[in-house]
Amino acid sequence: TDHAATERLRAEIAEVLARARRRTATLTDCLDEAELLAQHSRLMSPLVWDLAHIGNQEELWLVRDVGGREPVRDDIDHLYDAFRHARADRPALPLLDPGQARGYVATVREKVWDVLGASALRGAALLDGGFAFGMIAQHEQQHDETMLATHQLRTGAAVLAAAPPPTASMPVGGEIIIPAGEFTMGTSTDPWALDNERPAHRVDLPAYAIDAAPITNAQYLAFMADGGYERSELWSQRGWAHRQEAGLVAPQFWERDSDGQWWRRAFGVVHPLRPKQPVLHVCWFEAEAYAKWAGKRLPTEAEWEKAARFDPATGASRRFPWGAAEPDAATANLGQRHLEPAEVGAYPAGASPAGVHQLIGDVWEWTASGFEPYPGFRVFPYREYSEVFFGGDYRVLRGGSFGTDPVACRGTFRNWDHPIRRQIFAGFRLARDLRAGER
Ligand code: AVJ
Ligand code: FE
């Protein structure tokens, strides 16, 4: 019945909002006031800004807009408007202190529980799939992933811990050929899909080859050993200029000892580089140079999505590579269950029908594509989520990382960042056109 469906949706919303808040607490309760207020990197906000910004977005959309309630703190809106102040300038603002920020997000959440429970919602926001609530849960989780990146940039003793990810249970490598043909890209029906994932549209692609797995540390080391960072001919002009200016010699957070062995610092712990794990913390220009060295290229967004979603048996596009089931510990490394990517070959149950592995989770994958609207795009509900970024200096990333919650991850989900950024949890896989006669 309608009533039972509404109650199920209400319970699902309550669970995703509560899960996001538990994670926000995990990321902020482990640090003292000074560390929450500190600028760990000019690329990032102080953690206490993310915390109150999470509450402020929730207040704007769920308390004021959906709930039609009185503002909790409309005097602080300007402090937490991401378009008003650059990240580097946020530490100097008269921000709520950690205690005030915690009190603020808790007060907002109390009001949201009240809004969610209100009978008036039965007809409106909830029947429309609960989009506003889903958007806010995704927003909190996206900032939680950003806060996790701030944790990775912070120096000092480790404060986060998690079980190690699974190791390879089968060898995975080489390429998969995706035959030519149309597929459905994007979605018009996923209730919590964001505006930039809409609408569903048909895309026709020639046949192409795509890597069965992301590029590993071992593969990346071979590029480095072959002079990858020293050979300007492997880099685009812009990429080489950036490589020179930023002094890039290895992925971020790699350290080499006097014996020439590489180690990786992750969340305050230095560990030997694990050869079968996907390479992490490379910028788009590094991925571009690696691709040139390998005689290949990055996949376009459409190629990535067809490899992830197209089911040749039905001709339909799936929500996830493995089907419609929610991600779990057997299919994908998501949700900060682990603090690093898993080895390639660790998730055979998560492969796509074509046999492409680990598209979802582990590392965000850089694509060749800029961030553009799909044909028929409509802003929903606000221009600043997607539209103002279209046509900018961004590249699209797909698939989510170990730090992405399932609520903010699916085969249609689009992320984007500047091509020089590498503090995000990004790696890549490659693709190529087929040679004459190859099929
Ligand atoms: C989609 C991850 C690029 O963090 O800038 C958070 C998500 N939008 N608050 C970002 C977002 C508004 C966004 N990314
Ligand atoms: Fe935000």
Side-chain angles (χ1 to χ4, degrees):
T1 68
D2 266 13
H3 179 74
T6 305
E7 289 315 309
R8 262 201 311 281
L9 181 55
R10 214 188 284 275
E12 188 196 339
I13 289 167
E15 146 49 34
V16 297
L17 287 175
R19 186 169 80 226
R21 191 50 50 86
R22 285 195 298 274
R23 183 174 177 199
T24 301
T26 297
L27 290 161
T28 51
D29 289 350
C30 54
L31 294 171
D32 63 22
E33 294 234 345
E35 289 236 59
L36 292 171
L37 290 161
Q39 184 174 57
H40 297 281
S41 158
R42 288 184 53 82
L43 294 176
M44 310 306 276
S45 313
L47 291 162
V48 75
W49 185 92
D50 287 283
L51 177 61
H53 168 80
I54 285 168
N56 187 243
Q57 284 292 110
E58 184 166 321
E59 162 169 17
L60 288 173
W61 289 103
L62 299 183
V63 176
R64 296 187 212 167
D65 196 79
V66 173
R69 310 288 164 96
E70 286 302 303
V72 180
R73 288 286 304 259
D74 56 2
D75 58 316
I76 59 172
D77 289 353
H78 69 286
L79 294 174
Y80 298 104
D81 176 346
F83 290 85
R84 283 276 261 277
H85 312 281
R87 283 180 175 180
D89 302 333
R90 291 172 191 168
L93 298 172
L95 301 175
L96 300 188
D97 69 30
Q100 292 168 329
R102 289 188 177 107
Y104 172 59
V105 300
T107 302
V108 169
R109 183 56 63 88
E110 279 310 312
K111 295 198 185 287
V112 166
W113 292 142
D114 192 54
V115 170
L116 181 61
S119 55
L121 277 182
R122 281 180 208 283
L126 280 186
L127 288 184
D128 153 51
F131 174 82
F133 293 91
M135 176 183 81
I136 287 302
Q138 291 178 73
H139 181 260
E140 181 160 355
Q141 288 286 2
Q142 287 182 299
H143 276 275
D144 287 347
E145 183 166 351
T146 297
M147 289 197 278
L148 189 64
T150 305
H151 271 265
Q152 169 64 1
L153 284 160
R154 122 178 213 283
T155 53
V159 292
L160 296 173
T167 54
S169 56
M170 66 181 283
V172 174
E175 299 172 329
I176 302 290
I177 292 180
I178 309 290
E182 282 199 355
F183 85 109
T184 298
M185 185 170 183
T187 176
S188 300
T189 52
D190 203 313
W192 292 359
L194 301 168
D195 59 0
N196 63 57
E197 298 165 72
R198 303 168 184 266
H201 56 289
R202 300 288 286 171
V203 173
D204 193 10
L205 293 177
Y208 60 99
I210 189 162
D211 289 348
I215 296 300
T216 63
N217 288 327
Q219 290 174 299
Y220 201 82
L221 275 168
F223 160 73
M224 289 168 57
D226 199 29
Y229 280 93
E230 287 82 53
R231 292 162 53 186
S232 60
E233 77 274 13
L234 296 176
W235 298 67
S236 60
Q237 211 176 34
R238 228 189 122 188
W240 185 251
H242 177 65
R243 179 258 169 258
Q244 297 292 79
E245 196 214 303
L248 304 184
V249 293
Q252 194 173 11
F253 308 114
W254 284 29
E255 300 169 6
R256 202 196 335 223
D257 67 20
S258 51
D259 296 335
Q261 289 303 305
W262 286 100
W263 300 68
R264 200 172 79 81
R265 186 168 57 75
F267 304 104
V269 180
V270 178
H271 62 73
L273 195 67
R274 308 201 217 280
K276 290 192 210 170
Q277 283 182 354
V279 67
L280 181 61
H281 296 302
V282 287
C283 70
W284 188 86
F285 291 124
E286 289 167 295
E288 186 191 34
Y290 180 98
K292 179 95 181 277
W293 171 77
K296 295 166 71 164
R297 58 175 175 76
L298 289 170
T300 64
E301 230 191 317
E303 288 170 337
W304 188 96
E305 188 168 324
K306 186 177 178 187
R309 299 185 63 210
F310 182 64
D311 178 359
T314 62
S317 288
R318 297 175 159 190
R319 186 158 196 258
F320 292 105
W322 56 86
E326 284 298 304
D328 65 18
T331 46
N333 180 6
L334 290 169
Q336 205 180 308
R337 203 182 323 111
H338 310 296
L339 286 172
E340 55 188 313
E343 290 183 352
V344 158
Y347 290 97
S352 75
V356 184
H357 287 243
Q358 283 160 286
L359 288 148
I360 298 291
D362 295 301
V363 294
W364 284 103
E365 299 181 20
W366 287 113
T367 72
S369 305
F371 187 48
E372 299 294 345
Y374 290 159
F377 169 83
R378 284 177 39 220
V379 171
F380 189 76
Y382 67 114
R383 288 190 66 236
E384 289 77 15
Y385 185 78
S386 310
E387 197 193 36
V388 299
F389 298 99
F390 290 145
D393 183 26
Y394 302 101
R395 300 292 182 281
V396 172
L397 300 116
R398 289 302 202 100
S401 76
F402 62 88
T404 308
D405 186 83
V407 78
C409 192
R410 50 198 163 260
T412 56
F413 193 94
R414 307 171 76 196
N415 191 6
W416 63 94
D417 213 330
H418 295 297
I420 63 170
R421 290 289 180 252
R422 54 184 203 163
Q423 85 281 2
I424 54 174
F425 303 110
F428 62 98
R429 77 177 71 218
L430 298 180
R432 64 176 175 85
D433 300 340
L434 297 190
R435 291 179 281 269
E438 196 183 4
R439 49 160 288 146

